[in-house]
Amino acid sequence: PLTCESAEIKSSELVKLESRPGVKLKFILIKPTNPVASVILIEGGVGVLQLGSAFGKPTVGRGKGFLSRKRKEFAESGLIVALVDKPSDREKVYSKFRMSSEHAKDLQAVVSHLRSEADVPIWLVGMSMGTFSAPNAAIRLKEEVDGLVLVSSVTLSDKRWKLTYPTHPNAILDMDLDQIIVPTLIIHHRED
């Protein structure tokens, strides 16, 4: 099993690192006492979580999506959690950027940080618009990640997405998904 019954949370902190030259990336890092794997949680929407810190504890100022709300429960299941905010060079994270090499470099920096924390498998978890980010990173990073989870994937682009619709009308289905070489779990509601 990838998770345990119940794990004690060892620490929770706000991490800031340089993901690309001149670009800062923030993420909440939650570590259980005996981790069995790591997950990089990538929220949907426009990717703005406004991560911060109050009284020494990490905070989420905006974007209270499923992954943000359940981060502690992931950690209590024995998973090191990295809840990722937008990079400093973006006001919002739209689909075109989520499919870029720059965004994959941002996530690669988080992968490298997690590798320094523990020698455990690292899974990318994308929700909704985060399902552009997670497969993009899995495609570009290859064996640097160990698995991929897509939750409520975006499979149709909105015609108003002027930079995405012409090249990816079927959203993530038009990505090079055949280049993903890691185990992948897809969680999709019948109405998604």
Side-chain angles (χ1 to χ4, degrees):
L2 278 181
T3 62
C4 59
E5 292 275 332
S6 178
E8 183 179 317
I9 293 178
K10 179 177 167 182
S11 65
S12 181
E13 63 182 298
L14 180 65
V15 175
K16 300 174 190 172
L17 53 79
E18 186 172 75
S19 57
R20 292 176 274 128
V23 176
K24 301 291 182 192
L25 186 68
K26 294 188 287 188
F27 61 94
I28 292 176
L29 178 65
I30 307 172
K31 295 188 290 187
T33 50
N34 295 305
V36 294
S38 294
V39 289
I40 299 173
L41 305 180
I42 310 163
E43 279 286 11
V46 293
V48 179
L49 301 180
Q50 293 178 336
L51 299 182
S53 184
F55 306 107
K57 294 186 179 187
T59 60
V60 178
R62 184 176 163 196
K64 308 268 198 242
F66 170 75
L67 298 177
S68 298
R69 290 191 320 268
K70 298 296 183 181
R71 65 188 183 272
K72 184 178 175 189
E73 291 170 41
F74 281 101
E76 288 170 345
S77 295
L79 304 173
I80 296 174
V81 172
L83 176 65
V84 181
D85 205 347
K86 66 168 189 66
S88 63
D89 66 339
R90 301 283 159 171
E91 287 186 35
K92 296 179 180 176
V93 183
Y94 294 112
S95 55
K96 191 69 171 177
F97 176 74
R98 287 180 182 271
M99 294 185 288
S100 70
S101 62
E102 291 86 4
H103 190 45
K105 287 177 186 171
D106 295 333
L107 295 174
Q108 184 176 33
V110 179
V111 168
S112 295
H113 186 88
L114 291 175
R115 289 269 181 237
S116 73
E117 293 289 333
D119 185 20
V120 295
I122 298 174
W123 284 63
L124 297 161
V125 181
M127 173 101 185
S128 188
M129 291 297 283
T131 62
F132 280 103
S133 301
N136 175 56
I139 290 165
R140 293 176 190 274
L141 302 181
K142 306 282 184 212
E143 293 95 3
E144 290 184 56
V145 296
D146 300 287
L148 173 66
V149 179
L150 303 176
V151 183
S152 297
S153 299
V154 179
T155 56
L156 288 174
S157 290
D158 190 313
K159 290 181 182 180
R160 295 174 292 176
W161 301 349
K162 292 181 176 39
L163 297 176
T164 305
Y165 184 78
T167 58
H168 293 78
N170 298 303
I172 72 163
L173 298 176
D174 290 327
M175 295 175 74
D176 295 326
L177 300 178
D178 61 330
Q179 292 185 28
I180 295 172
I181 59 172
V182 296
T184 302
L185 172 64
I186 300 169
I187 303 170
H188 203 74
H189 190 273
R190 68 177 174 236
E191 299 299 323
D192 281 352

